[in-house]
Amino acid sequence: MKKCLVSPSMLASDFANIQRDVEMLNQSEADYIHIDIMDGVFVPNISFGFPVTEAIARHAKKPLDFHLMIQDADPYLEQCKASGAAIVSVHYEACNHLHRTISAIKDLGMKAGVALNPHTPVELLSEILSDIDLVLIMSVNPGFGGQKFIPHTFSKVEKLASMAANVNPDLLIEVDGGVTSENAGELVQKGANLLVAGSFVFKSENPAETISALKNV
Ligand code: DX5
Ligand code: ZN
């Protein structure tokens, strides 16, 4: 059994009980807390903004893993830092000057990630792979929780893991969307080492146990 890191997504939490859900995650084996920010432009949905992430940060004892589904993230990176972000991932498809954005995230003392939509080839990252800490492979089209996992993700993870083996062996390979105990084992076997799970965790009877189960797939 290979261990992986788990980042439960607050998007699937009960927004009327954010403090309760964050405290549950604090007590669980979760490694990170995944924060999905959507702008209604890059993705056809709006989630929540910095007033909410600051409230999450006030209670969270786990590092926050920000996933920015927004067009042009540059003006918001400092606010991510102020909101307690340990990781900030920006979308390849939403950045005109990816290298500049990645450098700005790292200069603020955060880990820098690049997220890829399902149709975006991992090969496009070859020239930036050694500069980043994380690649977030979307296994659904971003914008909504509770969607069905796209099986083609397995081969993307495998390809990325072999690219990273040479140039960035410590790369975090994060998979996000429709992750369950059905696909987690194969994802980790192909090279994923950080799994996001929203609905699968929060809709389960015992979220803390579900997190532990995912860590040991
Ligand atoms: C989707 C978000 C995901 C989402 C995952 O756009 O990026 O992080 O919360 O939710 P599930 O695990 O329910 O697919
Ligand atoms: Zn996400």
Side-chain angles (χ1 to χ4, degrees), residues 1-208:
M1 270 193 307
K2 229 169 160 184
K3 278 231 174 194
C4 64
L5 303 170
V6 172
S7 188
S9 169
M10 285 301 292
L11 190 64
S13 70
D14 177 355
F15 290 166
N17 288 287
I18 286 183
Q19 180 176 355
R20 183 200 66 193
D21 284 356
V22 171
E23 280 166 3
M24 178 279 290
L25 295 178
N26 288 341
Q27 301 303 316
S28 77
E29 283 193 84
D31 299 280
Y32 289 97
I33 297 177
H34 189 79
I35 306 286
D36 288 303
I37 302 197
M38 305 175 185
D39 65 354
V41 177
F42 177 63
V43 288
N45 196 11
I46 296 175
S47 55
F48 45 75
F50 293 109
V52 174
T53 62
E54 282 158 16
I56 293 170
R58 275 200 293 281
H59 300 289
K61 295 200 170 76
K62 310 267 177 170
L64 304 183
D65 157 32
F66 275 51
H67 176 195
L68 303 184
M69 285 160 274
I70 67 178
Q71 201 62 47
D72 187 16
D74 294 3
Y76 303 104
L77 300 177
E78 281 182 25
Q79 266 174 292
C80 290
K81 175 74 181 176
S83 258
I87 301 173
V88 172
S89 296
V90 293
H91 266 265
Y92 179 89
E93 305 84 1
C95 287
N96 286 334
H97 303 284
L98 187 59
H99 185 273
R100 180 184 293 153
T101 303
I102 290 302
S103 305
I105 295 170
K106 293 204 295 192
D107 287 349
L108 287 164
M110 302 179 288
K111 281 193 204 296
V114 179
L116 300 180
N117 279 340
H119 72 276
T120 306
V122 292
E123 287 87 348
L124 287 173
L125 296 179
S126 63
E127 306 305 328
I128 201 156
L129 206 51
S130 55
D131 296 313
I132 59 183
D133 300 294
L134 179 150
V135 176
L136 186 162
I137 296 188
M138 285 305 304
S139 37
V140 298
N141 286 292
F144 304 91
Q147 301 181 80
K148 211 168 153 290
F149 178 84
I150 299 171
H152 182 68
T153 308
F154 294 126
S155 67
K156 284 180 80 172
V157 170
E158 194 170 29
K159 230 183 263 176
L160 177 65
S162 82
M163 283 165 69
N166 300 321
V167 293
N168 190 347
D170 296 328
L171 184 75
L172 286 166
I173 300 181
E174 181 172 28
V175 177
D176 183 9
V179 171
T180 68
S181 53
E182 298 279 295
N183 48 42
E186 189 167 349
L187 286 170
V188 172
Q189 190 232 318
K190 301 279 192 223
N193 46 28
L194 173 53
L195 301 179
V196 176
S199 320
F200 186 64
V201 165
F202 282 98
K203 307 278 179 271
S204 71
E205 222 159 87
N206 187 331

